Each structure stands twice: as C-alpha cells, then as structure tokens.
Amino acid sequence: MDLYEGMPESVARAWERGLTSGRAATSRRRLLRAAALAAAGGTLAACGIPPASGSRGDGSARDPDHSRKEKVLDFANWPLYIDVDDRNKKKRPTLDSFERESGIRVRYVEDINDNNEFYGKIKPQLAAGQDTGRDLICLSDWMAGRVIRQGWAQRLEPARMPHAVANLEDRFRTAAHDPGRQYSYPWAGTACIVAYNKKATGGKKVASVRQLLEDESLKGRISMLTEMTDTVGLTLLDMGVDPERFTDRDFDAALARIQRAVDRKQLRRFTGNDYMDELNSGDIAACLAWAGDVVQLRLDNPDIAFTVPDRGYLFGTDDLLVPAKARHRRNAEALIDHYYRPAVAAELAAWVNYICPVTGAQAEMAKTDKALAADPLVFPDASMIAKGKNFRPMSAGEQARYEEKFSQLIGA
C-alpha cells in the first residue's frame, strides 16, 4: 500500500518534511547524547477523570484483554526517548525495573519516526478492526487526538493506574484532544521557544518572534522551523492571536508576515533539527527551537541561551495510548502507572530532557541533579506554564489548505 495514497499532495509533502528534517530526523541532540554515553563507557473521584466504560469513543464494549494469561507488552516509541544505562546501552533502567516488579516482559521497539508515517503504517489494521501488534504507542497530541476521534483507542481504567491519576500535573488533566484524559496520558511535554547564541548576537538578548523577523542586526542569520504548527503558531502568538482560536484570515496574515522576512532575506532558511549545529557554531544567531534540544546544547556550550516570549510559546505533549484491538491493555495500564511514580519519572526526565508531567518528580530530581531540577525547560515554573499555548485541532480540509500554503512559503 502506498503510504500517501488518497492524501492531498500538500499534506504528503509535510509528512516527508517530518521524516527528513522534523523532530524525527537525526539531530545534534541525539549525537550529543550518544557521545555522552560513549564517554561514560489522591482519590479517583476527586481527579475529574471519568470512569471507564467502552474502548471506543462511541461507548461500545471493551476489546478482549489477555493480560492475565499473557505477561507481555508490545511498546512502540520514538528513537532515543527513554533512559539508557551509561555502561550498557542495551539496558533501559526504568523499563527493566518495571519488568522486575510486574513480571511483564516488554518488547520495546523504536519504530515511531514520524507521527504521520506511523499513522499510515497502522491505519489499515485499525480501519479493518485488527490488532496492530502494539499494545502501547506514543504519539504527539494532535495525532493522538485523531486516533481517539476515530474510535481507535481503548479507554483506560483509572482504578488500575493510581499513581498516574494522583500524580498527573493539573495542567495536563485537561486536553482538547482528549477531554478528561480518558484515553491518553502524557509521556512528556514539548515546547517550541526562541533560542540564540550570545556570542553570535554580540551579547544581545533575542526575546521575540518580532525580533527574529525584523531585527536588522540578525539579518541572514535566523531560522524558523519546517514544522508548520510551531512556526505559524509562534508567529500568531507574536501578533496577539491565540493559536487555539485563529481563523483562516489570521493564518494568512501570519504567513504574509513571515513572507516579508523571507523577501528581505532576514531568514537564513527553514530547518528541522539541523538548526542545532548552526546555532552551536554561531552561523545561526537566533532561531525557533525545541526546548529539549536547547537543554542538550547548553550542556556543552555556555553561549546558548533561550527566551520564553512574553506573548507565549507553543506547548504540546507526546501521549501514551492503547490502540483498539490491542491484546494487553491491563499490562499497558500497569506500565503507564509505573512511569507516574515520581522517582521513575525523574530518572526518565534526566535522560530525555523534555518537560516532565509528573508531580513530585522535580523533588526527586533535586536529590541527584539540582541544576536540571531547576531548569524551566524540564520543570516549567508558574510563569512559563502560564504562557504555554496549543495549536488548535484542524479538520482534514484545513490541514490540507494550511500545509499547501506553508509549503509554498518555505519552498518545500
């Protein structure tokens, strides 16, 4: 089956961008992590989460579960999105501890390289009412929402996940794509912010998208992302428009603003993760960046700095959910609950460096790494939390239109 069959050309091009230059592409963050490894040789009723009923959005009966007899779990995740032992890269400490404590053997596969590509892989089975061969998957919030809306996710049972119910941070409990968190729980939070190289800017702070687009001293040395939601979303915020409620006219106005900067050669280029090498070297003085990457760069380069714009930043989550027809939902619920234990969550966050959604993990982190525990890109403070905004859900038609216009802008 052709992955792009029946897909608007503009959306297909966006998928290809994600595979080659988006968050899934090989990045300096991963190279830095690999180098580091080589060198090292509450009550349910009070939480507001409704009880489980059906496995589908339409309330139909649950899919049969075989967890009692089959102590296995197939878990699909993104590459390098889990902790690895410094001395033995085949060991994953938090996953190993789950297997020891639960008696459940986890078949962990890093086969999610892009949301759209992975969706294309499992969609035929889901549409046919078949098991995908995966009991637990990790998808970005907008894609998790699509799976949930189509009735292809199993509703989770809060009673089997006491740690998750009690320790999920309040700001993650409500989500436009999964009201009440009935079907998904965050693996990690994501943030798109402004980053800059202090040496390259001559010590000047870069604090806004406006500065990126208009500051003459940065001309030809700034970049924005090939990810439409992040680049357009942050531009909308800078214009005073809520990316959770924008109109077609707002979207066009944001593109026109970016286009003017392109025409004036203010932008060096649009990038995926490959902005990291140029930001690190100073060839790019400032850019839009993903927070997890910035945390990694700052470990080796003290000139790398970041700003959370006063008007806000793009916030999202990568969510765990159980696909329809998965054989081992209870085993999956047990694993989700394991990662909502504060000590386990802190161990995971220390390795992946993305936003941790677990209450109590920051205190656990402070016992071993006070600097990381104080980093707002991993544990956002109240000020940063208040500035986070999501890009609103899009219909299929909207996505096709927006991606077509954005593709024209970036020359993809």
Side-chain angles (χ1 to χ4, degrees):
M1 174 182 178
D2 183 354
L3 174 62
Y4 305 120
E5 182 180 354
M7 186 185 303
E9 182 181 354
S10 57
V11 179
R13 290 202 301 270
W15 284 28
E16 290 173 351
R17 286 202 306 273
L19 287 171
T20 57
S21 63
R23 271 184 53 207
T26 299
S27 68
R28 179 166 171 78
R29 173 176 65 83
R30 296 180 181 179
L31 294 176
L32 285 169
R33 175 58 68 187
L37 288 171
T43 66
L44 298 179
C47 73
I49 299 177
S53 56
S55 66
R56 295 171 55 90
D58 60 10
S60 60
R62 280 189 181 279
D63 295 325
D65 189 79
H66 303 270
S67 295
R68 292 186 185 277
K69 294 182 178 180
E70 300 174 6
K71 294 298 182 181
V72 295
L73 173 68
D74 290 281
F75 181 10
N77 204 351
W78 297 73
L80 296 176
Y81 212 12
I82 197 169
D83 52 302
V84 176
D85 186 271
D86 287 346
R87 294 177 297 276
N88 185 345
K89 297 179 184 179
K90 294 182 179 180
K91 292 183 176 295
R92 303 179 178 96
T94 58
L95 202 58
D96 294 343
S97 66
F98 170 74
E99 290 185 318
R100 288 194 302 270
E101 294 170 14
S102 67
I104 298 169
R105 181 169 62 89
V106 180
R107 295 186 287 237
Y108 185 82
V109 182
E110 297 178 327
D111 67 343
I112 304 178
N113 291 305
D114 175 81
N115 285 288
N116 290 306
E117 182 268 345
F118 186 75
Y119 176 78
K121 184 186 300 182
I122 64 175
K123 179 180 177 181
Q125 293 134 307
L126 291 171
Q130 299 171 354
D131 180 10
T132 66
R134 301 163 181 87
D135 300 304
L136 189 66
I137 59 178
C138 183
L139 298 173
S140 295
D141 47 16
W142 59 273
M143 181 57 77
R146 179 181 297 180
V147 173
I148 292 166
R149 288 192 301 273
Q150 290 173 314
W152 292 342
Q154 296 195 43
R155 187 171 290 168
L156 301 172
E157 176 55 73
R160 297 196 184 95
M161 303 186 299
H163 295 98
V165 170
N167 296 329
L168 177 64
E169 276 197 24
D170 288 345
R171 63 195 169 104
F172 294 96
R173 290 182 183 273
T174 58
H177 66 286
D178 183 13
R181 287 291 179 188
Q182 299 179 67
Y183 297 91
S184 67
Y185 270 76
W187 177 254
T190 62
C192 185
I193 56 176
V194 173
Y196 61 100
N197 185 313
K198 290 183 287 187
K199 186 175 181 179
T201 65
K204 177 187 289 189
K205 181 179 180 179
V206 182
S208 67
V209 171
R210 178 179 181 179
Q211 197 171 350
L212 289 177
L213 296 176
E214 301 177 8
D215 189 333
E216 287 288 332
S217 71
L218 302 175
K219 187 172 183 178
R221 297 188 298 143
I222 74 112
S223 68
M224 302 183 89
L225 295 165
T226 56
E227 295 284 342
M228 183 267 288
T229 55
D230 290 321
T231 290
V232 175
L234 274 167
T235 303
L236 286 169
L237 275 170
D238 191 73
M239 296 164 60
V241 178
D242 188 343
E244 296 175 359
R245 296 179 176 83
F246 70 89
T247 64
D248 284 354
R249 181 176 294 181
D250 295 327
F251 185 89
D252 290 344
L255 289 191
R257 189 177 181 207
I258 301 169
Q259 184 66 61
R260 289 194 292 272
V262 171
D263 294 342
R264 290 187 292 103
K265 301 189 184 303
Q266 177 77 5
L267 272 73
R268 179 184 180 92
R269 64 193 185 99
F270 293 90
T271 76
N273 285 108
D274 47 330
Y275 69 81
M276 296 182 70
D277 286 324
E278 292 178 285
L279 179 63
N280 191 55
S281 68
D283 289 338
I284 287 177
C287 62
L288 298 185
W290 290 300
D293 294 337
V294 175
V295 173
Q296 288 297 320
L297 277 180
R298 290 167 67 207
L299 292 175
D300 285 354
N301 188 343
D303 288 324
I304 302 301
F306 73 93
T307 304
V308 179
D310 288 339
R311 292 194 173 182
Y313 66 97
L314 257 291
F315 169 76
T317 56
D318 288 331
D319 292 345
L320 299 173
L321 70 160
V322 180
K325 304 302 177 182
R327 292 177 62 87
H328 308 112
R329 175 178 46 81
R330 291 189 180 187
N331 292 345
E333 290 167 339
L335 186 137
I336 293 172
D337 195 61
H338 174 74
Y339 279 95
Y340 272 81
R341 297 180 180 183
V344 176
E347 189 171 1
L348 176 66
W351 207 90
V352 303
N353 294 154
Y354 277 78
I355 296 172
C356 181
V358 180
T359 298
Q362 186 173 20
E364 290 291 334
M365 178 80 77
K367 296 176 182 178
T368 56
D369 192 334
K370 291 183 179 180
L372 192 59
D375 194 324
L377 298 185
V378 180
F379 296 100
D381 54 24
S383 174
M384 183 169 177
I385 290 172
K387 294 179 181 178
K389 290 286 186 177
N390 295 112
F391 196 93
R392 71 166 172 79
M394 297 174 286
S395 68
E398 283 180 323
Q399 185 182 11
R401 292 199 310 275
Y402 294 159
E403 289 288 3
E404 174 63 33
K405 293 179 178 180
F406 188 69
S407 293
Q408 292 176 4
L409 169 67
I410 68 176

